Amino acid sequence: MIRPIIHDTMLLMNKAEPAGEKDMQTAFDLRDTLLAHSADCAGLAANMIGVNKSIIAFFAEGVPVVMLNPEIIAHSEESFETEEGCLSLSGVRRTKRYRRITVEYQDMMMKKRRMTFIGFTAQVIQHETDHLKGILI
């Protein structure tokens, strides 16, 4: 189900609770909402659709990917300054991102995974995991 995007910064600044099997509908809704906004959005966090759970969705090579309880466990030393926008916020803001990250997470089957991402996909994941920590760019 496509959910409305939340713009209330007080809600967006709450730290996400761990996600479990009972949160699968939220994961599906997040993916559906990402697909509905594919023209102007590269990723979403569950709090952006009003659910305070640790779930993100993003596009990797054009395919939607959903991660439950993602945690960046390593990153490159190399970082860069960039400007990012957000569907929940107006305008763009400057931020620092790492070029390469390694993420541990659970997939939609609740199976533990570990993957490394580079470039724009890594940037999007960092943005969305910031949302889970209540950090707004």
Side-chain angles (χ1 to χ4, degrees):
M1 176 171 76
I2 299 168
R3 307 280 284 287
I5 301 297
I6 300 298
H7 301 282
D8 183 336
T9 56
M10 294 306 290
L11 291 175
L12 294 169
M13 289 172 41
N14 290 318
K15 187 175 177 181
E17 298 291 326
E21 288 183 32
K22 62 182 174 32
D23 299 306
M24 281 302 131
Q25 187 59 54
T26 297
F28 285 112
D29 291 352
L30 192 62
R31 186 198 61 201
D32 292 348
T33 305
L34 175 68
L35 289 166
H37 290 277
S38 63
D40 55 354
C41 178
L44 292 172
N47 62 354
M48 295 174 68
I49 62 168
V51 181
N52 196 29
K53 290 293 184 170
S54 184
I55 308 170
I56 65 172
F58 58 94
F59 290 106
E61 298 180 13
V63 176
V65 175
V66 177
M67 293 181 170
L68 290 85
N69 305 309
E71 182 181 347
I72 297 172
I73 59 166
H75 59 75
S76 60
E77 289 185 26
E78 185 181 6
S79 64
F80 60 98
E81 294 286 326
T82 188
E83 289 186 343
E84 295 178 353
C86 180
L87 278 184
S88 289
L89 305 170
S90 61
V92 295
R93 292 163 181 82
R94 294 206 53 78
T95 190
K96 178 180 125 178
R97 299 292 182 208
Y98 297 100
R99 294 208 182 275
R100 184 183 75 250
I101 61 170
T102 300
V103 183
E104 284 187 348
Y105 65 98
Q106 291 168 292
D107 64 17
M108 296 283 280
M109 304 300 290
M110 297 304 293
K111 183 175 179 181
K112 286 194 172 220
R113 304 271 185 193
R114 179 186 292 192
M115 290 187 69
T116 298
F117 299 89
I118 59 171
F120 184 68
T121 303
Q123 180 180 344
V124 172
I125 294 168
Q126 289 169 82
H127 179 103
E128 302 314 332
T129 56
D130 277 355
H131 270 294
L132 300 179
K133 298 172 195 166
I135 298 170
L136 303 178
I137 59 165

